[in-house]
Amino acid sequence: RFHGLCDADSVRDIAVRGGVALVMHGHLHGRFVIPRGPLSPVPISNPGSLASRHPHHARAYHVYKVREGRIELEARRYDDEARAFVAWPEAPGSGQIA
């Protein structure tokens, strides 16, 4: 709904009826995580862009761990100084999301 998806309510309803545990979104360059809650009955995550040089975009990716019916999200982002992707434990939305 924040990015102009015209049929977001229908997509949400289908996801809930189908028992979807997580929607992994792509294409948008800005990273975000919407946890399960009042805004969405199904958590939604988008890691952003690995290659963007825009100052407001974290060059990041997500690692998902699925265990015993739970989904945990770990974020990693590019550290220019280290010239490598590093753990990003304080990234918004990290931790158990479903």
Side-chain angles (χ1 to χ4, degrees):
R1 98 179 177 186
F2 300 113
H3 299 286
L5 181 60
C6 297
D7 57 351
D9 292 340
S10 296
V11 172
R12 179 201 61 224
D13 294 345
I14 290 167
V16 169
R17 282 196 312 271
V20 172
L22 171 65
V23 173
M24 292 184 281
H25 192 291
H27 183 70
L28 298 172
H29 294 180
R31 180 190 177 276
F32 65 87
V33 177
I34 301 172
R36 178 181 293 141
L39 290 179
S40 180
V42 176
I44 303 169
S45 72
N46 175 36
S49 171
L50 289 173
S52 177
R53 296 273 185 191
H54 190 284
H56 296 294
H57 296 161
R59 294 184 306 184
Y61 67 92
H62 292 159
V63 175
Y64 302 92
K65 294 184 179 180
V66 180
R67 291 183 235 157
E68 301 172 0
R70 295 181 325 203
I71 301 173
E72 293 179 20
L73 183 150
E74 290 181 13
R76 311 264 170 87
R77 70 174 165 188
Y78 191 77
D79 181 316
D80 286 320
E81 204 171 286
R83 298 181 68 176
F85 285 92
V86 298
W88 186 14
E90 70 278 4
S94 292
Q96 186 172 332
I97 59 172

